[in-house]
Amino acid sequence: MALSKWDKVKEKLHLVEKWARDGLREDQIAKNLGISVATLERYKKEHSEIVKSLKKGKETLVTELENALIKKALGYEYEEKKVYTKTEDGVTTTYTEITKKHQPPDTGALFGLLKNKAPDQYADNPQMIELKRQELELRKQIAKDQDW
């Protein structure tokens, strides 16, 4: 019977969280740990701490992505820095040029956020959402009627 690699994996849980935060897929994380995807799945069932590390890393990544999307949707100010070096008569002079710029709001990012954060108001097809709600209610009623 093969020896378990869990002890070595357990020592790397901080890396598992970092890799998940960096956007690596679970198959990539398994490869970095030197285990198969099946072994990672087994460890997830047997050891809650690896699930917590994966979840925490993914939550951090999602938060960072949401913040970046919100920033892009709203527009923002930033500084662009250019450094020039000029040599004249053996004397090197460095110039730094700082320009304030404005990134206008991105309507695509804005609409994507609204669609996901307020789907009742900003859906592609609001009639379809209402039909799905009605269908769900009907299915619940049918299931309730079949139980008695």
Side-chain angles (χ1 to χ4, degrees):
M1 183 171 142
L3 293 174
S4 174
K5 294 184 180 180
W6 171 246
D7 290 335
K8 290 184 179 182
V9 169
K10 189 175 181 178
E11 293 172 2
K12 296 180 181 179
L13 288 178
H14 65 286
L15 290 174
V16 169
E17 182 180 327
K18 179 193 176 304
W19 292 329
R21 184 178 57 246
D22 290 346
L24 269 66
R25 298 183 316 267
E26 288 188 6
D27 62 319
Q28 295 170 318
I29 292 171
K31 183 178 180 183
N32 286 354
L33 291 170
I35 60 175
S36 69
V37 175
T39 301
L40 179 61
E41 290 300 319
R42 184 168 47 88
Y43 287 168
K44 284 169 51 180
K45 291 176 186 172
E46 296 172 357
H47 306 283
S48 63
E49 51 263 57
I50 195 164
V51 174
K52 288 177 187 172
S53 292
L54 288 165
K55 184 177 179 184
K56 187 174 179 187
K58 287 176 185 177
E59 286 172 352
T60 303
L61 174 63
V62 168
T63 300
E64 289 174 5
L65 292 172
E66 283 179 343
N67 290 341
L69 188 59
I70 289 168
K71 183 178 177 180
K72 185 170 176 123
L74 297 176
Y76 56 94
E77 304 291 328
Y78 66 99
E79 289 184 352
E80 186 174 89
K81 185 177 179 179
K82 293 182 182 178
V83 179
Y84 302 98
T85 304
K86 182 179 178 182
T87 304
E88 223 176 78
D89 298 328
V91 177
T92 302
T93 309
T94 302
Y95 300 95
T96 303
E97 179 183 306
I98 297 175
T99 308
K100 288 191 176 190
K101 294 196 169 189
H102 174 74
Q103 178 66 41
D106 182 316
T107 55
L110 184 61
F111 186 66
L113 278 168
L114 289 173
K115 246 173 62 172
N116 285 290
K117 297 292 184 181
D120 290 344
Q121 297 169 309
Y122 297 97
D124 283 336
N125 190 344
Q127 294 84 7
M128 183 60 76
I129 291 175
E130 183 56 34
L131 286 172
K132 291 286 184 186
R133 280 193 188 124
Q134 291 173 3
E135 178 186 11
L136 179 62
E137 289 301 317
L138 185 58
R139 287 180 186 273
K140 285 179 183 177
Q141 187 63 42
I142 291 170
K144 183 179 174 185
D145 291 345
Q146 288 176 349
D147 281 344
W148 91 265

